[in-house]
Each structure stands twice: as structure tokens, then as C-alpha cells.
Amino acid sequence: MCRWFAYVSANEECLLEDVLITPAHSLAKQVHEHYLPKLLAHDPNEITTEHEVTARNRLFNVDGFGVAWYTPAREDFGQCAGPRPALYKCAQPPLHDTNFRSLCGNTATKACFAHIRAATATPIVSVNNHPFVFGRHTFMHNGVVESFIEISRDMCKLMDNDSYANITGSTDSEHFAALYITYLTEGKGKSSWEQQYSVMKMRDAMKKAVKTVVELQKSKLGDKCEANSLNIATTDGCVLFAMRFRNHAREQPPSLYFSTTAGVTMNSKYPDHPDGKENPRAYMKPEEHGSHVIVASEPSTYKPKEWNLIEKNHCIMVETDGTVKVEEITYPAELNSVARGGL
């Protein structure tokens, strides 16, 4: 599976280098290495848990990367209201790309999405790398939409024309994103992508997209359809919705954590360091740091207490003022599917 990192704050920029490169366990280094605290402890007696952790979290993520960061540039030139995402993608591992290093060392933002990819059945090309952008809305996914080939044409029929036309790659994730955007905007097309929507409406559109996918799978494959892993994040640069989901009665989705304090540890303006080292560049006090939320596949600081595991089939919603709500995602039992191998 892939790995991703999301940061959002109303009043505190992060330097991309600080959050994506500097930590010993930054996203850029999760290509080969993984750190999964608290993941087994929630269900120590489940015999398949350790296998699930290995199967869904410990692959090499060497098939490219992407980063979207929100910038006020277009707003400053009178072209829109609010920040819009800039996007950079490459089909090689991030630390092999000198352009990525330069970009991160010179870019600060109040909202960013970053993703490293472990390809499944689609080509290793930059257009297949996350995040995916629809106007001011950005989307990324870790997991898999099972039986995607069997349901993809039916998914496309449910999209509005602009959402379908915005698909440039061939992944299940980008198609799911287009379906989600169709539901979020009620199929009103490209102009509606520039609008903001409440985080509750984002949640409802995401749940509707999940329900649609599972129902299509069951209509095509019946009881043989396999469970989906859907660790998804979406933002408009101001609010954020993310979820950790798998429609199986016992199995776990890939890992997902959140933090409301790790941004201080990963900001070189402030004391401390993500690896516990000295930080001679610090010139601000920790209490001066603004409110923020990080959601990530894996923690990237040396302090486990900074990170909270998002439980299976739960979502996190972040409002414009930084208010955080974690909520269970409920769904009918008949939408559960089998694991690979039919169990």
C-alpha cells in the first residue's frame, strides 16, 4: 500500500522540508521503512492482525510521489478567493528528485498533501500519482478499490462530465475521487469545484461514494466481491476530512494517525526536533505555534504520545478554526465483503 501525509492550519505555515524530508521517519523515507505504534495493541488477540499489518503497510513505496501545497498566489492577483493547490508529481522516489528537495526547502504553506505510491495494476507514470486536484479540492488515497476493472465503466457513468474529463490517469483512486467530487458538488461541474463545502457535506459525499462502489461490486460479483481498503483524505485548503475504512467484519485497514501537536516538533522555528536532536535554528517559543492538525499513514516524530491511532472505520473532520472531531463511520452489515481468498 501507499503512504501519505496531510497538514492543515488556519494560522501556522509549515516548511515542506521540515515535515516531508527532515525527520528520520519522514514521508520521503517511508519508501522502505515503516513505524506503526499502537497498531497491534488495540486487538492483541486477533491472530490475523500481524499478517494484516504486514500485508497492508510494509510494502516498498517506490513508484513515485506527489505533493500539493496551498498558496495564496492566485488570490493575491485577484483571480479567486482563498488559497489554491499547486501540484508537483514525479514517477521516481522523492529523495531521488533534486527538484523536490529544492521545492521543499523553499516552500511554506498552511495546507499540504503529500503521497508516495506503491503501484498495484496501473502504470508507473506521473499522472497516476496522488494527490488529485479538482479546482480547490485535493484528494489522496492509500488502499485499493477491489475489482476496479469490473466496475470502472459503471462508476464513470455516475460522474458528471467535468469530473470524468478531469481524470488523466488510470487508477482506481482517481476514479473514486471523481465520483466523490460529483457527489460533493451535486454534479454541477467545474465551476462548482471553486466553492467551499462544509466538512459534514464532505463526509456525506465520501460515504455515498463508498456505498456506491460497494453496491456496484456486489451487483457485479455477488458474494465473491472482496473488501476495499479506503484510507482517504480530502481538503479545500481550509477544512480537512480523512477516514480509515475497510468493509470487512474483522480485518483492519492500513494504518492512519493524527496529531495536533507534532507540527511544533517538526517546525524548525521552534525548539525540539523530530528526531530528538538539538535545534540551533529555533527562535520562537512552543506556545507561540498556531493550531494545526496532521493526519498521516505513519508518525514522523520521536514522540509516540504526539500521535493518536485512528481506529478502523472512523473519520476525522477538521474545521476552519482547527476544531477536530473523530467519528465512527457506520454502514449496513450487508455492505461487508470477503477478504482475499474468500474469508
Side-chain angles (χ1 to χ4, degrees), residues 38 257-266 272-274 292 294 299-309:
K38 306 178 185 178
Y257 300 81
F258 80 94
S259 176
T260 58
T261 59
V264 185
T265 310
M266 289 192 286
D272 211 345
H273 185 280
H292 65 283
I294 297 170
S300 46
T301 70
Y302 73 101
K303 298 178 180 179
K305 291 183 179 179
E306 289 185 325
W307 300 89
N308 303 282
L309 178 70

Side-chain angles (χ1 to χ4, degrees), residues 43-87:
D43 193 4
N45 298 315
E46 173 58 65
I47 60 171
T48 62
T49 298
E50 188 169 358
H51 166 70
E52 292 167 32
V53 171
T54 299
R56 300 204 180 94
N57 298 289
R58 291 182 181 163
L59 296 176
F60 290 159
N61 304 295
V62 297
D63 299 323
F65 71 92
V67 56
W69 67 98
Y70 280 77
T71 166
R74 288 183 57 203
E75 182 179 34
D76 292 345
F77 280 79
Q79 297 180 15
C80 64
R84 292 297 187 274
L87 187 63

Side-chain angles (χ1 to χ4, degrees), residues 144-146 213-214 217 226-230 245-247 337:
V144 63
V145 175
E146 290 290 351
V213 164
V214 176
Q217 290 167 335
E226 297 175 350
N228 306 281
S229 290
L230 301 171
F245 181 84
R246 184 166 174 82
N247 62 316
S337 300

Side-chain angles (χ1 to χ4, degrees), residues 4 10 51 60 104 132 152 173 194 202 260 266-267 279 288 328 341-342:
W4 55 253
H51 166 70
F60 290 159
C104 288
F132 305 107
S152 58
S173 304
E194 301 302 326
M202 293 162 69
T260 58
M266 289 192 286
N267 191 319
N279 177 16
E288 296 177 304
E328 184 177 8

Side-chain angles (χ1 to χ4, degrees), residues 18 20 30 34 54 62 155 158 201 206 272 279 299:
D18 283 349
L20 300 180
Q30 291 168 27
H34 303 288
T54 299
V62 297
M155 287 177 66
L158 298 172
K201 188 165 185 178
M206 194 69 71
D272 211 345
N279 177 16

Side-chain angles (χ1 to χ4, degrees), residues 187-264:
K188 294 178 181 177
K190 194 170 184 177
S191 62
S192 64
W193 302 348
E194 301 302 326
Q195 299 176 24
Q196 289 183 282
Y197 300 89
S198 72
V199 73
M200 295 297 184
K201 188 165 185 178
M202 293 162 69
R203 175 202 63 189
D204 292 344
M206 194 69 71
K207 291 173 69 173
K208 184 176 180 181
V210 171
K211 184 173 182 288
T212 296
V213 164
V214 176
E215 287 176 345
L216 288 175
Q217 290 167 335
K218 288 189 175 292
S219 70
K220 292 285 185 181
L221 301 168
D223 294 337
K224 295 181 180 179
C225 66
E226 297 175 350
N228 306 281
S229 290
L230 301 171
N231 283 17
I232 289 171
T234 185
T235 186
D236 63 3
C238 298
V239 302
L240 180 146
F241 173 89
M243 71 178 186
R244 180 176 181 237
F245 181 84
R246 184 166 174 82
N247 62 316
H248 189 276
R250 298 185 313 278
E251 288 192 342
Q252 294 292 319
S255 58
L256 195 62
Y257 300 81
F258 80 94
S259 176
T260 58
T261 59
V264 185

